[in-house]
Amino acid sequence: MEGEWCYRGRAITVGEVGFIRELILAHPHASRYELSRRLCEAWNWKQANGVPRDMVCRGLLLQLDRAGAIELPAVRRRPPNPLVLRCRPEPVVPDNRPVRGPLSEILPLEIEQVRQSEQEPLFNSLVEQYHYLRYQRPVGEHLKYLVRTRGQAIACLAFSSAPRHLASRDRFIGWDAAARRRNLHLIAYNTRFLILPWVQQAPHLASHILGRMARQVSRDWERFYAHPIHLLETFVDPERFAGTCYRAANWMVVGKTTGRGKDSNSDRPNRSLKLVLVLPLDRRFRELLSQ
């Protein structure tokens, strides 16, 4: 409708834009940051864990300012861009004693969520050194896991917020666009799974780890972000891997990516097509994700 705006799936009405203008007029000395926090409070715009959606709100204010719908105060400071200044994780010298044998001799495993812990730099460094995609700083909600046997790290896994648009997954769930916007945060994307190279001849280890993660990740997500996870998803490059360990852990292939990437402006693939695999964590996942 003319006179309305849309940002990150939320329709912004003319009345709401008027409210923002009044908020700016009522606080003439407020910074952009302060205005964003006040607007989050006024609209009760929060994440599931109660944290204000400040960055999303600031993005909305900037979009309205650029469109001429509001006039924000001048920028007072420009913080350094963390993406420009970001350094690669420091290399570490790991405990790389060979690990081999049947699963029964490697068990028990310790699976530790290490985000915001003293072990997070070790996780980052191991992924940087040994995963073919290297380490990439996650965006949005995310958790990181180290897997150990007798204190020795043998695997790393990372989960993050799911991509907004994934046709094969969306068809598998059967939800509409509105339900996807409401409930996308209830899906976690397995961005990294690394069995470290000193693990040799350990049959069934990878699928066992994936099975353990399926029972653990939703509980950890709820502790961190105050909401559960009902579906896991990942991509597998068939030019490199067959996805055998995922299939053995009951993950299902539901289609392929388009090969265009989230920022592509073309209908032509610009990268290899990946298999899309999913794992429901609740029998009622379709109902829960479509509410």
Side-chain angles (χ1 to χ4, degrees):
M1 180 184 298
E2 185 178 355
E4 290 191 349
W5 292 261
C6 184
Y7 185 75
R8 300 288 289 269
R10 172 171 179 151
I12 309 299
T13 67
V14 173
E16 288 174 324
V17 173
F19 176 85
I20 296 173
R21 292 195 192 107
E22 292 175 2
L23 183 70
I24 296 171
L25 289 174
H27 302 89
H29 303 296
S31 65
R32 295 185 177 195
Y33 170 77
E34 182 181 346
L35 290 171
S36 173
R37 302 288 286 197
R38 287 181 178 275
L39 185 58
C40 284
E41 182 178 354
W43 285 0
N44 195 32
W45 210 355
K46 299 177 181 179
Q47 302 177 40
N49 60 0
V51 176
R53 298 179 63 85
D54 177 58
M55 294 305 296
V56 174
C57 189
R58 273 191 266 178
L60 166 65
L61 293 176
L62 186 59
Q63 175 177 298
L64 293 174
D65 179 74
R66 289 172 174 170
I70 64 172
E71 184 175 351
L72 288 173
V75 175
R76 296 184 182 178
R77 59 185 293 270
R78 294 186 182 276
N81 187 336
L83 298 179
V84 174
L85 300 178
R86 182 175 64 205
C87 298
R88 305 306 305 180
E90 292 289 334
V92 297
V93 179
D95 179 355
N96 59 2
R97 291 169 296 155
V99 176
R100 62 171 66 92
L103 184 61
S104 60
E105 294 181 5
I106 298 173
L107 297 178
L109 301 181
E110 307 143 27
I111 301 181
E112 180 184 6
Q113 199 295 115
V114 297
R115 187 187 172 205
Q116 297 182 359
S117 78
E118 294 180 353
Q119 297 300 310
E120 187 172 11
L122 173 61
F123 171 96
N124 297 348
S125 182
L126 291 173
V127 173
E128 173 71 12
Q129 292 180 81
Y130 298 111
H131 197 284
Y132 78 101
L133 294 174
R134 304 178 69 184
Y135 175 75
Q136 185 174 7
R137 184 177 180 179
V139 176
E141 298 180 352
H142 63 278
L143 297 179
K144 303 174 181 178
Y145 291 88
L146 273 177
V147 182
R148 293 185 175 90
T149 178
R150 299 170 182 85
Q152 181 184 11
I154 59 172
C156 303
L157 299 96
F159 295 85
S160 70
S161 301
R164 272 185 285 176
H165 302 287
L166 192 56
S168 56
R169 172 204 64 201
D170 296 340
R171 286 193 298 269
F172 174 76
I173 295 171
W175 56 7
D176 58 25
R180 185 185 67 230
R181 288 193 294 268
R182 288 193 304 270
N183 298 320
L184 186 64
H185 65 289
L186 302 177
I187 300 177
Y189 167 39
N190 176 210
T191 59
R192 295 289 186 271
F193 182 23
L194 169 66
I195 300 293
L196 289 159
W198 45 88
V199 178
Q200 305 165 2
Q201 298 177 347
H204 314 300
L205 175 63
S207 58
H208 176 82
I209 291 172
L210 288 170
R212 288 274 302 274
M213 290 308 313
R215 297 189 292 272
Q216 179 172 342
V217 68
S218 184
R219 295 195 303 269
D220 292 341
W221 215 280
E222 194 147 19
R223 281 195 292 270
F224 239 83
Y225 296 111
H227 67 81
I229 294 296
H230 299 314
L231 186 77
L232 299 177
E233 65 185 24
T234 196
F235 302 153
V236 170
D237 187 343
E239 296 179 5
R240 287 178 172 269
F241 309 106
T244 304
C245 64
Y246 285 97
R247 298 172 198 254
N250 296 321
W251 290 60
M252 297 173 283
V253 177
V254 296
K256 291 184 178 181
T257 63
T258 61
R260 296 198 301 268
K262 64 180 182 179
D263 298 321
S264 175
N265 294 319
S266 169
D267 290 333
R268 295 184 178 181
N270 56 22
R271 63 196 71 191
S272 62
L273 275 64
K274 310 294 194 305
L275 297 176
V276 179
L277 291 92
V278 301
L279 180 69
L281 300 183
D282 191 297
R283 292 181 180 179
R284 298 169 52 243
F285 74 96
R286 286 192 173 93
E287 176 187 347
L288 295 167
L289 292 174
S290 299
Q291 291 177 350

mmCIF file of all heavy atoms in Angstrom, residues 9 26 30 38 49 54 64 68 87 91 106 114 139 150 163-165 183 191 218 230 268:
data_model
loop_
_atom_site.group_PDB
_atom_site.id
_atom_site.type_symbol
_atom_site.label_atom_id
_atom_site.label_comp_id
_atom_site.label_asym_id
_atom_site.label_seq_id
_atom_site.Cartn_x
_atom_site.Cartn_y
_atom_site.Cartn_z
ATOM 1 N N GLY A 9 10.710 -7.809 6.874
ATOM 2 C CA GLY A 9 9.461 -8.527 7.009
ATOM 3 C C GLY A 9 8.400 -7.831 7.834
ATOM 4 O O GLY A 9 7.292 -8.339 7.966
ATOM 5 N N ALA A 26 10.600 14.873 20.438
ATOM 6 C CA ALA A 26 10.527 14.892 21.899
ATOM 7 C C ALA A 26 11.894 14.744 22.555
ATOM 8 O O ALA A 26 12.056 15.064 23.738
ATOM 9 C CB ALA A 26 9.606 13.777 22.383
ATOM 10 N N ALA A 30 18.957 13.651 21.648
ATOM 11 C CA ALA A 30 19.264 12.220 21.690
ATOM 12 C C ALA A 30 20.101 11.806 20.479
ATOM 13 O O ALA A 30 19.937 12.327 19.367
ATOM 14 C CB ALA A 30 17.978 11.399 21.732
ATOM 15 N N ARG A 38 15.074 3.803 22.606
ATOM 16 C CA ARG A 38 13.762 4.267 23.051
ATOM 17 C C ARG A 38 12.649 3.675 22.186
ATOM 18 O O ARG A 38 11.567 3.332 22.684
ATOM 19 C CB ARG A 38 13.705 5.800 23.017
ATOM 20 C CG ARG A 38 14.514 6.475 24.119
ATOM 21 C CD ARG A 38 14.381 7.995 24.041
ATOM 22 N NE ARG A 38 15.111 8.663 25.099
ATOM 23 C CZ ARG A 38 14.636 8.873 26.325
ATOM 24 N NH1 ARG A 38 13.411 8.486 26.642
ATOM 25 N NH2 ARG A 38 15.370 9.484 27.245
ATOM 26 N N ASN A 49 15.133 -13.637 23.973
ATOM 27 C CA ASN A 49 15.803 -13.640 25.277
ATOM 28 C C ASN A 49 15.703 -12.296 25.993
ATOM 29 O O ASN A 49 16.367 -12.077 27.009
ATOM 30 C CB ASN A 49 17.275 -14.044 25.121
ATOM 31 C CG ASN A 49 18.058 -13.105 24.210
ATOM 32 O OD1 ASN A 49 17.509 -12.138 23.691
ATOM 33 N ND2 ASN A 49 19.326 -13.394 24.011
ATOM 34 N N ASP A 54 18.152 -3.822 18.799
ATOM 35 C CA ASP A 54 18.704 -2.502 18.537
ATOM 36 C C ASP A 54 19.257 -2.369 17.120
ATOM 37 O O ASP A 54 18.993 -1.379 16.431
ATOM 38 C CB ASP A 54 19.797 -2.192 19.565
ATOM 39 C CG ASP A 54 20.466 -0.855 19.318
ATOM 40 O OD1 ASP A 54 19.761 0.160 19.301
ATOM 41 O OD2 ASP A 54 21.693 -0.836 19.133
ATOM 42 N N LEU A 64 14.404 4.721 6.736
ATOM 43 C CA LEU A 64 13.410 5.794 6.684
ATOM 44 C C LEU A 64 14.067 7.149 6.488
ATOM 45 O O LEU A 64 13.535 8.010 5.784
ATOM 46 C CB LEU A 64 12.583 5.788 7.977
ATOM 47 C CG LEU A 64 11.679 4.558 8.189
ATOM 48 C CD1 LEU A 64 11.036 4.622 9.569
ATOM 49 C CD2 LEU A 64 10.615 4.474 7.104
ATOM 50 N N GLY A 68 13.685 9.854 3.219
ATOM 51 C CA GLY A 68 13.132 11.176 3.481
ATOM 52 C C GLY A 68 11.893 11.157 4.345
ATOM 53 O O GLY A 68 11.233 12.198 4.502
ATOM 54 N N CYS A 87 40.877 -9.771 12.741
ATOM 55 C CA CYS A 87 42.058 -10.583 12.497
ATOM 56 C C CYS A 87 41.652 -12.053 12.416
ATOM 57 O O CYS A 87 40.663 -12.472 13.021
ATOM 58 C CB CYS A 87 43.090 -10.392 13.604
ATOM 59 S SG CYS A 87 43.713 -8.699 13.753
ATOM 60 N N PRO A 91 46.874 -19.126 15.336
ATOM 61 C CA PRO A 91 47.097 -20.576 15.302
ATOM 62 C C PRO A 91 47.490 -21.106 16.673
ATOM 63 O O PRO A 91 48.127 -20.413 17.461
ATOM 64 C CB PRO A 91 48.247 -20.732 14.297
ATOM 65 C CG PRO A 91 48.947 -19.414 14.311
ATOM 66 C CD PRO A 91 47.886 -18.383 14.572
ATOM 67 N N ILE A 106 36.804 -45.147 21.762
ATOM 68 C CA ILE A 106 36.930 -43.684 21.773
ATOM 69 C C ILE A 106 35.972 -43.068 22.787
ATOM 70 O O ILE A 106 36.260 -42.032 23.381
ATOM 71 C CB ILE A 106 36.680 -43.125 20.360
ATOM 72 C CG1 ILE A 106 37.746 -43.673 19.397
ATOM 73 C CG2 ILE A 106 36.704 -41.600 20.356
ATOM 74 C CD1 ILE A 106 37.496 -43.309 17.949
ATOM 75 N N VAL A 114 31.057 -23.903 23.683
ATOM 76 C CA VAL A 114 32.192 -23.068 24.089
ATOM 77 C C VAL A 114 32.033 -21.597 23.730
ATOM 78 O O VAL A 114 32.940 -20.806 23.977
ATOM 79 C CB VAL A 114 33.511 -23.599 23.492
ATOM 80 C CG1 VAL A 114 33.801 -25.000 24.021
ATOM 81 C CG2 VAL A 114 33.478 -23.594 21.961
ATOM 82 N N VAL A 139 26.949 -14.713 12.208
ATOM 83 C CA VAL A 139 26.058 -13.566 12.324
ATOM 84 C C VAL A 139 24.760 -14.056 12.966
ATOM 85 O O VAL A 139 24.245 -15.120 12.635
ATOM 86 C CB VAL A 139 25.766 -12.947 10.943
ATOM 87 C CG1 VAL A 139 24.760 -11.808 11.067
ATOM 88 C CG2 VAL A 139 27.061 -12.451 10.314
ATOM 89 N N ARG A 150 38.795 -38.026 26.286
ATOM 90 C CA ARG A 150 39.858 -38.028 27.297
ATOM 91 C C ARG A 150 40.641 -36.710 27.292
ATOM 92 O O ARG A 150 41.854 -36.679 27.397
ATOM 93 C CB ARG A 150 40.793 -39.221 27.087
ATOM 94 C CG ARG A 150 40.078 -40.557 27.220
ATOM 95 C CD ARG A 150 40.940 -41.734 26.785
ATOM 96 N NE ARG A 150 40.193 -42.987 26.890
ATOM 97 C CZ ARG A 150 39.390 -43.433 25.938
ATOM 98 N NH1 ARG A 150 39.232 -42.746 24.820
ATOM 99 N NH2 ARG A 150 38.727 -44.574 26.100
ATOM 100 N N PRO A 163 19.350 -19.427 6.938
ATOM 101 C CA PRO A 163 19.097 -18.505 5.820
ATOM 102 C C PRO A 163 17.610 -18.213 5.690
ATOM 103 O O PRO A 163 16.770 -19.096 5.911
ATOM 104 C CB PRO A 163 19.619 -19.279 4.598
ATOM 105 C CG PRO A 163 20.533 -20.324 5.143
ATOM 106 C CD PRO A 163 20.026 -20.666 6.501
ATOM 107 N N ARG A 164 17.295 -16.984 5.306
ATOM 108 C CA ARG A 164 15.881 -16.590 5.245
ATOM 109 C C ARG A 164 15.122 -17.298 4.134
ATOM 110 O O ARG A 164 13.974 -17.669 4.305
ATOM 111 C CB ARG A 164 15.783 -15.070 5.073
ATOM 112 C CG ARG A 164 15.777 -14.316 6.386
ATOM 113 C CD ARG A 164 15.557 -12.846 6.166
ATOM 114 N NE ARG A 164 16.739 -12.183 5.637
ATOM 115 C CZ ARG A 164 16.795 -10.916 5.292
ATOM 116 N NH1 ARG A 164 15.707 -10.168 5.372
ATOM 117 N NH2 ARG A 164 17.898 -10.368 4.839
ATOM 118 N N HIS A 165 15.767 -17.461 2.978
ATOM 119 C CA HIS A 165 15.080 -18.041 1.827
ATOM 120 C C HIS A 165 15.820 -19.302 1.391
ATOM 121 O O HIS A 165 16.991 -19.235 1.011
ATOM 122 C CB HIS A 165 15.012 -17.048 0.662
ATOM 123 C CG HIS A 165 14.334 -15.760 1.012
ATOM 124 N ND1 HIS A 165 12.975 -15.672 1.188
ATOM 125 C CD2 HIS A 165 14.831 -14.518 1.235
ATOM 126 C CE1 HIS A 165 12.655 -14.421 1.497
ATOM 127 N NE2 HIS A 165 13.767 -13.711 1.545
ATOM 128 N N ASN A 183 8.810 -17.620 12.355
ATOM 129 C CA ASN A 183 9.375 -18.797 13.017
ATOM 130 C C ASN A 183 10.738 -19.227 12.505
ATOM 131 O O ASN A 183 11.247 -20.273 12.923
ATOM 132 C CB ASN A 183 8.399 -19.974 12.875
ATOM 133 C CG ASN A 183 7.070 -19.695 13.554
ATOM 134 O OD1 ASN A 183 7.027 -19.117 14.628
ATOM 135 N ND2 ASN A 183 5.981 -20.080 12.905
ATOM 136 N N THR A 191 26.680 -24.782 10.276
ATOM 137 C CA THR A 191 27.602 -24.117 9.356
ATOM 138 C C THR A 191 28.945 -24.817 9.233
ATOM 139 O O THR A 191 29.610 -24.699 8.200
ATOM 140 C CB THR A 191 27.841 -22.671 9.795
ATOM 141 O OG1 THR A 191 28.380 -22.679 11.120
ATOM 142 C CG2 THR A 191 26.558 -21.872 9.771
ATOM 143 N N SER A 218 19.035 -28.078 21.004
ATOM 144 C CA SER A 218 17.843 -27.295 21.320
ATOM 145 C C SER A 218 17.846 -26.835 22.773
ATOM 146 O O SER A 218 17.475 -25.691 23.074
ATOM 147 C CB SER A 218 16.580 -28.114 21.022
ATOM 148 O OG SER A 218 15.416 -27.332 21.248
ATOM 149 N N HIS A 230 13.473 -26.475 16.416
ATOM 150 C CA HIS A 230 12.631 -27.586 15.985
ATOM 151 C C HIS A 230 13.171 -28.302 14.744
ATOM 152 O O HIS A 230 12.712 -29.406 14.430
ATOM 153 C CB HIS A 230 11.211 -27.095 15.688
ATOM 154 C CG HIS A 230 10.531 -26.491 16.873
ATOM 155 N ND1 HIS A 230 10.541 -27.086 18.127
ATOM 156 C CD2 HIS A 230 9.806 -25.338 17.015
ATOM 157 C CE1 HIS A 230 9.869 -26.343 18.978
ATOM 158 N NE2 HIS A 230 9.416 -25.284 18.333
ATOM 159 N N ARG A 268 21.485 -16.743 -12.677
ATOM 160 C CA ARG A 268 22.457 -17.762 -13.044
ATOM 161 C C ARG A 268 23.285 -18.175 -11.830
ATOM 162 O O ARG A 268 23.697 -17.321 -11.038
ATOM 163 C CB ARG A 268 23.390 -17.226 -14.133
ATOM 164 C CG ARG A 268 22.689 -16.925 -15.450
ATOM 165 C CD ARG A 268 23.683 -16.484 -16.502
ATOM 166 N NE ARG A 268 23.034 -16.239 -17.790
ATOM 167 C CZ ARG A 268 23.684 -15.861 -18.887
ATOM 168 N NH1 ARG A 268 25.010 -15.669 -18.840
ATOM 169 N NH2 ARG A 268 23.023 -15.662 -20.008
#
